[in-house]
């Protein structure tokens, strides 16, 4: 089926899409065509989508303990009944023929055999206890993701930090959202956006920075397109390093060289200041100026070997001023910025004029293109700076809004605090008062919680490779596909490490595990997610998991009990979901991040925090909207105590990427996703329709580069970096069109591991790796 026909067919699936897989055919007899399903024959329940961070509402139709169909939830204020191609095929990911159903132990010959849950849980408890006794808390670790439910993440937090007294807890959101976190934290002392999805109807100009929204967040992009259809003066700007389907809808496409977004943002700020477009009264009332460490030699890149295999650079700030800002920006003239970025100077001036127009609402949107960056925090700072300097922040249609890629990267990782330096609700392990609050809520002796942050993700897996970490438990993620410079993390027989992996399918990560545990997925268990716009959403268990699969939080609790830590989880089997959530909720109350009660979440399609007196908040820091704001008008950045309850404007310079093309490796490589697949593809590649649409990863080439190499679409080429090499088929003039000198590859295909090529350079503040820029060469292998 042609891709266009495939997508058109989805629009006809009004009742949902039946679950399909080879093992599922007998059970799916009579349901092959979703249009044949009679909705009245199914039992329906609500849930948020399992894939990206948009948080679309889904109605799930079940029969005989199985998910038979889904449809968009018209009661959801997020998607209003619409789903994307992945959402319409949600049932399929549950019923792949190789679904994990029993705990599996690796034998001496490398094969696996099934064992009981009791044996598996006892083994984990015994091995972790032994490592704690012989090597201490720094030698144990747990690694999860933004796909953890709030329950999963909170159970992990208590077990690792309160039970084992270790801060070696990380999640894969470190690889995708950490720069956005640190952008918000360094400027507002509180994470997550102040705006919400209502900005898509209220805004006038939408700036998409390195964000292929048409494919990565198609439901949200459809809201912008509908606003543009209704109001002809709405404008979309696509700032990117390659043309994508998003570019086709843009009023202005700005194609910059990789890594030059810092220069462009400073060029916009320079013009806003020079042309008098500063919201002066807003800035005087609400903004302070800061400047950090800009010494490139001292900062470094965090690459393997460059910082003795650990990257622990800590930024420092000093007071600055708007006068110093003027001098700082003097060098970022339109002509100089245009030269750095490879764009006309008129585009720099046009972008600044659009941002500076005081009569128009402006929304900035970004995702991995900004965050996965050696200066990702700086770039987040600069985008927030633009909104602070123009006063376009904290009001409908005028906000910076970072988008997220996982269903609970916000709710679980950022809010629960499943990172090596965090505790719930913006608390940090390094602050005495924050640890004291946690110890009081958890009923711990004072001084129980450690103050030293653990390893961040890249350093955690480096420590595992060195043998400094001797036991690690990985849940809901696939790091042997997703880590940068992937060849660094190969295992050898008898290496002394103990690796546990909980997942729903075999993956390259389960293949290196010593023990594999089968997990229940999505609506096979009860759960809570938190999405991009601060919306917390709850769902009930709607279907049965296969075989002996159990939810991740249950697995953690059972191990903790076997280690003598049952007092951390004092709830009965039938009550612990609500009781655990309500204990977690205590951290949020009175902080400006108050999440809704479990009872409220059960009755609604989610609520945006802070939730006070039963009412959600659409816009943070806004007078008359945020219950914590005491001003009668304007904004109040009440969380930013360090800066006198004002936001910090950070001066951040352009610095070049860690690696650039040269004679040996003359091309840029950038990586990303495609519409039909999600993350490492372990779920979507098992959905027949999605797999058939895009069965294999490929490499996009510019037509001129393809002519030089004497290759075309379908030909095989070899892509080589300083770290590795792989082969893939060529695509020329497909949905993505890179400029001359740049190639693009998606990372969803575990048989073509693009992260064997990528560089493990990191952001200097967030420690998030840069997947978007490294140097490669392409060699012809064979004709297609």
């Amino acid at each position: 089926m042609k891709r266009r026909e495939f997508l058109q067919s989805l629009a006809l699936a009004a009742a949902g899409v039946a679950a399909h897989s080879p093992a599922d055919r007998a059970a799916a007899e009579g349901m092959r065509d979703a249009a044949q399903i009679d909705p009245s024959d199914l039992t329906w329940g609500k849930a948020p989508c399992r894939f990206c961070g948009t948080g679309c509402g889904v109605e799930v139709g079940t029969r005989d303990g199985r998910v038979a169909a889904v449809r968009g939830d018209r009661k959801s204020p997020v998607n209003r009944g619409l789903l994307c191609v992945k959402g319409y095929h949600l049932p399929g990911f549950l019923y792949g023929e190789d679904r994990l159903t029993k705990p599996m132990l690796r034998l001496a010959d490398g094969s696996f055999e099934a064992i009981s849950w009791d044996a598996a849980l006892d083994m984990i408890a015994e091995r972790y206890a032994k490592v704690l006794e012989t090597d201490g808390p720094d030698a144990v670790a747990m690694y999860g993701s933004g796909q953890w439910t709030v329950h999963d993440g909170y159970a992990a937090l208590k077990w690792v930090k309160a039970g084992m007294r270790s801060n070696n807890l990380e999640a894969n959101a470190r690889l995708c959202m950490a720069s956005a976190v640190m952008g918000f934290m360094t400027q507002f002392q509180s994470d997550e956006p102040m705006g919400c999805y209502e900005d898509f109807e209220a805004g006038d100009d939408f700036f998409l920075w390195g964000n292929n929204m048409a494919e990565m967040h198609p439901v949200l992009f459809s809201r912008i397109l509908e606003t543009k259809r209704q109001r002809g003066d709405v404008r979309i700007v696509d700032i990117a390093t390659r043309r994508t389907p998003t570019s086709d809808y843009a009023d202005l496409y700005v194609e910059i060289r990789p890594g030059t977004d810092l220069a462009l943002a400073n060029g916009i700020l320079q013009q806003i200041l020079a042309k008098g477009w500063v919201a002066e009264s807003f800035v005087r009332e609400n903004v302070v100026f800061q400047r950090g460490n800009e010494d490139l030699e001292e900062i470094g890149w965090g690459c393997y070997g460059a910082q003795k295999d650990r990257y622990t650079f800590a930024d420092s700030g000093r007071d600055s001023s708007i006068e110093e800002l003027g001098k700082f920006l003097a060098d970022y003239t339109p002509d100089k910025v245009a030269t750095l970025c490879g764009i006309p100077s008129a585009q720099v001036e046009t972008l600044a004029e659009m941002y500076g127009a005081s009569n128009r609402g402006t929304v900035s949107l970004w995702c991995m293109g900004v965050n996965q960056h050696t200066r990702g925090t700086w770039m987040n700072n600069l985008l927030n700076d633009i909104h602070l300097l123009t006063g376009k922040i904290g009001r409908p249609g005028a906000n910076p809004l970072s988008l997220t890629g996982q269903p609970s990267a916000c709710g679980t990782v950022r809010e629960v605090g499943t990172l090596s330096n965090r505790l719930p609700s913006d608390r940090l392990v390094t602050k005495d008062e924050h640890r004291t609050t946690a110890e009081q809520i958890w009923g711990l002796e004072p001084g129980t919680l450690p103050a030293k942050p653990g390893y961040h993700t890249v350093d955690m897996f480096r420590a595992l490779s060195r043998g400094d970490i001797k036991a690690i438990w990985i849940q809901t993620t696939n790091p042997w596909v997703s880590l940068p410079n992937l060849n660094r993390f190969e295992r050898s027989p008898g290496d002394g490490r103990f690796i546990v992996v909980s997942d729903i399918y075999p993956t390259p990560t389960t293949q290196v595990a010593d023990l594999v545990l089968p997990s229940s997925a999505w609506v096979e268990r009860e759960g809570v997610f938190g999405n991009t716009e601060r919306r917390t959403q709850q769902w009930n268990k709607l279907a049965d998991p296969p075989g002996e699969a159990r939810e991740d939080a249950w697995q953690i609790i059972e191990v903790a009990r076997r280690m003598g830590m049952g007092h951390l989880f004092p709830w009965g089997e039938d009550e612990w979901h609500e009781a655990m959530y309500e204990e977690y909720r205590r951290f949020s109350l009175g902080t400006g991040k108050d999440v809704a009660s479990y009872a409220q979440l059960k009755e609604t399609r989610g609520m945006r925090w802070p939730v006070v007196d039963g009412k959600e908040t659409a816009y943070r820091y806004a007078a008359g909207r945020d219950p914590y704001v005491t001003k009668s008008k304007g904004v109040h950045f009440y969380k930013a105590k360090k800066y006198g309850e004002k936001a910090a404007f950070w001066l951040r310079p352009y610095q070049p990427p860690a690696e650039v093309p040269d004679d040996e490796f003359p091309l840029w490589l950038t990586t990303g996703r495609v519409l039909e697949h999600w993350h490492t593809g372990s779920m979507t590649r098992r959905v027949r329709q999605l797999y058939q649409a895009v069965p294999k990863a490929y490499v996009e080439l510019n037509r001129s580069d393809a002519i030089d190499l004497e290759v075309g679409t379908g030909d095989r080429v070899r892509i080589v970096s300083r770290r590795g090499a792989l082969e893939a088929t060529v695509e020329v003039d497909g949905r993505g069109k890179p400029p001359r000198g740049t190639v693009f590859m998606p990372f969803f295909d575990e048989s073509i591991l693009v992260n064997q090529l990528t560089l493990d350079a990191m952001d200097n503040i967030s420690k998030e790796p840069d997947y978007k820029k490294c140097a490669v060469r392409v060699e012809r292998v064979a004709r297609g």
Side-chain angles (χ1 to χ4, degrees):
M1 181 182 285
K2 299 283 190 183
R3 179 172 175 271
R4 182 179 298 276
E5 296 170 15
F6 166 64
L7 294 174
Q8 288 174 340
S9 72
L10 292 175
L12 303 177
V17 177
H20 288 286
S21 74
D24 198 36
R25 286 171 186 157
E29 203 58 45
M31 297 193 297
R32 290 177 184 148
D33 184 352
Q36 295 177 4
I37 297 175
D38 184 348
S40 64
D41 290 340
L42 305 178
T43 300
W44 295 89
K46 70 175 177 75
C49 179
R50 174 59 180 79
F51 292 122
C52 81
T54 298
C56 290
V58 179
E59 287 191 279
V60 182
T62 59
R63 184 163 61 197
D64 299 326
R66 294 170 60 86
V67 177
V70 296
R71 61 191 179 196
D73 187 352
R74 295 185 179 184
K75 294 181 181 179
S76 169
V78 172
N79 55 309
R80 305 166 183 177
L82 180 66
L83 295 175
C84 77
V85 59
K86 294 182 292 294
Y88 283 121
H89 284 87
L90 275 163
F93 93 83
L94 294 172
Y95 301 116
E97 62 180 351
D98 57 345
R99 183 75 188 268
L100 297 173
T101 59
K102 295 178 181 292
M104 304 292 288
L105 176 66
R106 181 184 295 277
L107 302 178
D109 64 0
S111 63
F112 286 91
E113 74 170 2
I115 62 173
S116 69
W117 267 111
D118 281 337
L121 298 170
D122 288 345
M123 179 181 297
I124 299 171
E126 290 167 6
R127 292 295 295 268
Y128 267 83
K130 182 178 179 180
V131 172
L132 286 170
E133 180 181 359
T134 59
D135 298 280
D138 289 346
V140 297
M142 186 160 203
Y143 185 62
S145 81
Q147 300 161 64
W148 261 343
T149 67
V150 166
H151 298 102
D152 301 332
Y154 190 70
L157 185 81
K158 289 193 77 175
W159 177 55
V160 175
K161 300 198 176 190
M164 295 192 291
R165 304 187 181 189
S166 172
N167 282 322
N168 286 338
L169 174 66
E170 275 286 287
N172 69 359
R174 176 77 70 178
L175 307 180
C176 58
M177 293 311 305
S179 296
V181 172
M182 293 312 298
F184 286 123
M185 290 297 292
T186 55
Q187 297 188 269
F188 308 101
Q189 283 191 271
S190 183
D191 184 24
E192 298 193 48
M194 55 288 299
C196 64
Y197 296 163
E198 292 172 21
D199 286 332
F200 299 138
E201 285 73 46
D204 300 306
D205 295 324
F206 297 91
F207 285 75
L208 279 55
W209 289 82
N211 178 23
N212 179 13
M213 201 173 176
E215 289 196 271
M216 303 306 107
H217 297 88
V219 171
L220 298 182
F221 193 57
S222 74
R223 289 179 60 165
I224 295 175
L225 295 181
E226 176 60 14
T227 299
K228 184 174 176 60
R229 186 186 69 82
Q230 294 185 17
R231 291 196 281 119
D233 66 336
V234 169
R235 297 178 295 190
I236 298 172
V237 178
D238 181 28
I239 303 169
T241 58
R242 75 190 236 276
R243 282 189 173 271
T244 67
T246 301
S247 312
D248 296 337
Y249 295 96
D251 297 276
L252 176 62
Y253 172 63
V254 180
E255 188 172 274
I256 62 174
R257 293 192 179 105
T260 61
D261 47 0
L262 289 157
L264 180 57
N266 275 311
I268 291 169
L269 287 167
Q270 189 272 342
Q271 284 290 285
I272 290 170
L273 199 62
K275 296 293 180 67
W277 295 326
V278 176
E280 295 180 357
S281 60
F282 178 92
V283 171
R284 281 195 301 270
E285 182 179 349
N286 299 295
V287 178
V288 299
F289 293 84
Q290 293 284 298
R291 192 163 184 176
N293 188 338
E294 300 166 8
D295 187 329
L296 180 55
E297 184 175 347
E298 184 177 341
I299 294 170
W301 303 112
C303 301
Y304 170 55
Q307 272 79 27
K308 298 180 180 179
D309 216 17
R310 287 205 68 178
Y311 188 44
T312 57
F313 171 82
D315 194 27
S316 58
R318 64 168 177 81
D319 292 340
S320 183
S321 65
I322 196 167
E323 290 76 22
E324 184 179 12
L325 174 66
K327 297 175 183 177
F328 170 84
L329 292 174
D331 202 32
Y332 291 97
T333 63
D335 286 343
K336 181 169 183 179
V337 169
T339 300
L340 284 169
C341 296
I343 61 176
S345 59
Q347 286 193 334
V348 181
E349 296 169 342
T350 297
L351 296 176
E353 185 176 359
M354 291 175 69
Y355 267 116
S358 60
N359 63 334
R360 293 181 67 83
T362 305
V363 180
S364 296
L365 297 149
W366 67 95
C367 202
M368 298 306 103
V370 166
N371 294 332
Q372 291 176 338
H373 194 315
T374 50
R375 298 295 179 262
T377 300
W378 288 13
M379 190 58 206
N380 273 268
N381 288 157
L382 290 175
L383 292 177
N384 292 331
D385 285 349
I386 293 171
H387 284 265
L388 289 170
L389 201 62
T390 57
K392 295 183 177 184
I393 192 167
R395 55 189 174 90
N399 282 295
L401 180 59
S402 68
L403 299 173
T404 46
Q406 296 186 90
S408 202
C410 291
T412 301
V413 180
R414 298 165 73 168
E415 292 161 26
V416 174
T418 57
L419 293 171
S420 60
N421 63 326
R422 288 174 72 87
L423 291 165
S425 303
D426 285 338
R427 292 178 177 86
L428 302 173
V429 300
T430 53
K431 291 186 176 292
D432 294 345
E433 63 271 27
H434 293 177
R435 296 195 310 279
T436 297
T437 297
E439 288 165 349
Q440 290 171 346
I441 291 175
W442 289 340
L444 305 175
E445 290 293 324
T448 297
L449 297 177
K452 175 187 172 184
Y455 293 106
H456 58 79
T457 291
V458 174
D459 276 1
M460 177 178 284
F461 282 90
R462 289 173 176 175
L464 180 68
S465 295
R466 291 194 305 269
D468 293 346
I469 287 178
K470 292 181 168 54
I472 188 170
W473 190 351
I474 300 165
Q475 290 187 334
T476 65
T477 187
N478 192 7
W480 261 261
V481 175
S482 61
L483 287 171
N485 195 2
L486 195 56
N487 292 321
R488 284 263 358 261
F489 305 110
E490 293 181 356
R491 290 199 73 183
S492 57
D495 60 13
R497 283 64 137 181
F498 180 59
I499 299 179
V500 184
V501 177
S502 300
D503 212 322
I504 63 174
Y505 288 112
T507 68
T509 302
T510 65
Q511 292 307 303
V512 303
D514 299 291
L515 181 63
V516 178
L517 304 180
S519 294
S520 53
W522 192 39
V523 295
E524 295 169 352
R525 42 82 56 90
E526 186 174 340
V528 172
F529 283 159
N531 79 345
T532 297
E533 65 165 350
R534 299 172 278 107
R535 182 178 299 277
T536 312
Q537 301 185 79
Q538 185 272 348
W539 72 93
N540 295 325
K541 180 178 180 292
L542 303 175
D544 297 327
E548 299 175 20
R550 299 298 298 262
E551 68 179 284
D552 297 298
W554 176 88
Q555 298 173 24
I556 296 167
I557 293 169
E558 288 302 310
V559 168
R561 287 173 174 161
R562 284 165 167 79
M563 295 178 69
M565 303 170 188
H567 61 285
L568 297 174
F569 306 98
W571 310 295
E573 182 72 21
D574 297 328
E575 64 179 13
W576 67 268
H577 285 95
E578 183 164 358
M580 178 188 285
Y581 176 88
E582 289 298 336
E583 180 186 275
Y584 154 65
R585 181 172 174 252
R586 289 175 60 191
F587 281 93
S588 74
L589 298 179
T591 68
K593 303 195 79 168
D594 316 49
V595 295
S597 71
Y598 210 68
Q600 289 172 315
L601 295 180
K602 282 192 168 189
E603 297 301 319
T604 64
R605 262 51 177 186
M607 300 185 74
R608 293 167 295 190
W609 57 260
V611 178
V612 177
D613 296 330
K615 298 179 181 178
E616 67 174 355
T617 300
Y619 292 94
R620 299 178 76 190
Y621 311 130
R625 295 176 179 271
D626 185 333
Y628 282 89
V629 171
T630 57
K631 289 183 178 181
S632 60
K633 62 180 182 178
V635 299
H636 178 198
F637 299 112
Y638 54 85
K639 295 283 286 184
K641 305 296 185 186
K642 180 178 180 180
Y643 304 117
E645 301 189 354
K646 295 183 178 183
F649 182 114
W650 284 87
L651 284 65
R652 301 295 195 186
Y654 163 75
Q655 289 185 346
E659 183 175 271
V660 298
D662 57 18
D663 291 342
E664 185 178 3
F665 300 97
L667 302 171
W668 287 107
L669 168 68
T670 187
T671 67
R673 294 197 286 119
V674 297
L675 171 68
E676 293 83 357
H677 290 292
W678 192 73
H679 279 214
T680 65
S682 59
M683 293 183 288
T684 52
R685 290 183 78 233
R686 286 173 168 85
V687 179
R688 187 180 67 194
Q689 296 88 341
L690 300 179
Y691 176 80
Q692 289 175 341
V694 186
K696 299 284 288 183
Y698 51 86
V699 57
E700 292 177 357
L701 291 181
N702 178 271
R703 177 165 291 280
S704 295
D705 290 328
I707 291 172
D708 290 345
L709 289 164
E710 298 181 351
V711 297
T713 296
D715 292 341
R716 289 194 66 76
V717 294
R718 181 177 173 86
I719 306 97
V720 186
S721 79
R722 290 179 173 85
R723 291 153 294 280
L726 52 80
E727 293 185 6
T729 57
V730 170
E731 183 172 286
V732 178
D733 292 337
R735 71 175 81 175
K737 299 176 180 65
R740 188 177 178 89
T742 296
V743 302
F744 170 86
M745 293 188 69
F747 70 95
F748 69 84
D749 188 347
E750 65 185 37
S751 68
I752 303 175
L753 295 174
V754 68
N755 283 319
Q756 292 179 342
L757 308 178
T758 52
L759 182 67
D760 56 355
M762 286 176 271
D763 176 71
N764 57 319
I765 298 173
S766 71
K767 309 303 186 288
E768 179 171 339
D770 189 336
Y771 292 90
K772 300 300 182 184
K773 298 176 287 295
C774 73
V776 299
R777 67 173 179 266
V778 177
E779 304 166 348
R780 189 176 71 179
V781 174
R783 291 288 187 184

